[in-house]
Amino acid sequence: MQKISQDNEHWREKLTPEQYRVLREKDTELPFIGKYYNMHENGMYVCAACGNPLFASEHKYDSGTGWPSYDRPFSEDAVEYREDESYSTKRTEVICRRCDGHLGHVFDDGPKETTCKRFCINSTALNFRKQKK
Ligand SMILES: [Zn+2]
C-alpha cells in the first residue's frame, strides 16, 4: 500500500479539530457519544483522514464499551500495529496503514466464537460508507 505522508499543517486543514486530536494526537473520544458505536447498518468504515477501507460492518459487534468494536480489520493490509506503553499499561495501538492515523487499540477479550480480538476504535477516526444496493 502506498503511504500518504503529510505534515501536520495538511492534516489540520483537512480534519476537524476532533478528528485531528484523535488521528494525529492519539486522543480517545469519550465512550457512548461517538457517532458509530451504536451503528448497525451494512457498509464499510473507512479512515476519516485518507479514505482507506478499515472495517466492514459484518465484523462489527456490540462490545458494550461505548466504542465501535470489531473482531478483525477489513484486511490485514489495512492497518498496522504498534506497542503503546502510555498510561503505564501495555496496549497495542491500531493505526491506518496508509496515513499512519491513530484509530484505537486492539485487545484480546473479543468474541470467543470468532477471533477473540476486540478492535476498539474511535468513531471520530472513521467515516461510514453505506453499502450500495
Ligand atoms: Zn488513513
Side-chain angles (χ1 to χ4, degrees):
M1 179 172 300
Q2 193 79 28
K3 281 257 188 213
I4 299 179
S5 179
Q6 298 284 1
D7 57 17
N8 288 340
E9 205 56 42
H10 168 89
W11 292 120
R12 267 192 206 284
E13 274 174 31
K14 188 172 158 81
L15 301 172
T16 67
E18 290 75 27
Q19 289 173 333
Y20 188 89
R21 272 201 298 278
V22 171
L23 283 155
R24 309 313 306 178
E25 299 181 331
K26 307 183 194 299
D27 196 9
T28 299
E29 71 194 14
L30 293 172
F32 300 104
I33 60 154
K35 53 189 170 172
Y36 296 138
Y37 84 90
N38 204 18
M39 169 81 99
H40 295 99
E41 296 202 51
N42 283 334
M44 180 67 71
Y45 295 84
V46 305
C47 177
C50 76
N52 186 19
L54 297 172
F55 298 97
S57 57
E58 66 195 278
H59 301 139
K60 190 173 189 291
Y61 71 100
D62 287 319
S63 64
T65 59
W67 289 284
S69 302
Y70 309 85
D71 70 5
R72 73 199 73 178
F74 169 59
S75 93
E76 282 298 335
D77 292 337
V79 297
E80 268 178 34
Y81 305 100
R82 277 187 201 158
E83 290 311 313
D84 174 3
E85 299 194 19
S86 60
Y87 301 102
S88 45
T89 54
K90 206 165 194 173
R91 297 182 297 173
T92 303
E93 182 190 359
V94 183
I95 63 173
C96 171
R97 180 161 292 192
R98 191 191 270 163
C99 72
D100 289 342
H102 171 80
L103 305 172
H105 292 87
V106 58
F107 302 93
D108 290 325
D109 58 3
K112 287 190 177 56
E113 58 276 13
T114 58
T115 60
C116 296
K117 297 288 183 196
R118 173 169 59 94
F119 286 76
C120 184
I121 306 299
N122 292 284
S123 298
T124 312
L126 301 171
N127 273 326
F128 183 68
R129 293 206 184 136
K130 207 170 167 170
Q131 203 156 47
K132 292 186 186 83
K133 295 229 168 67

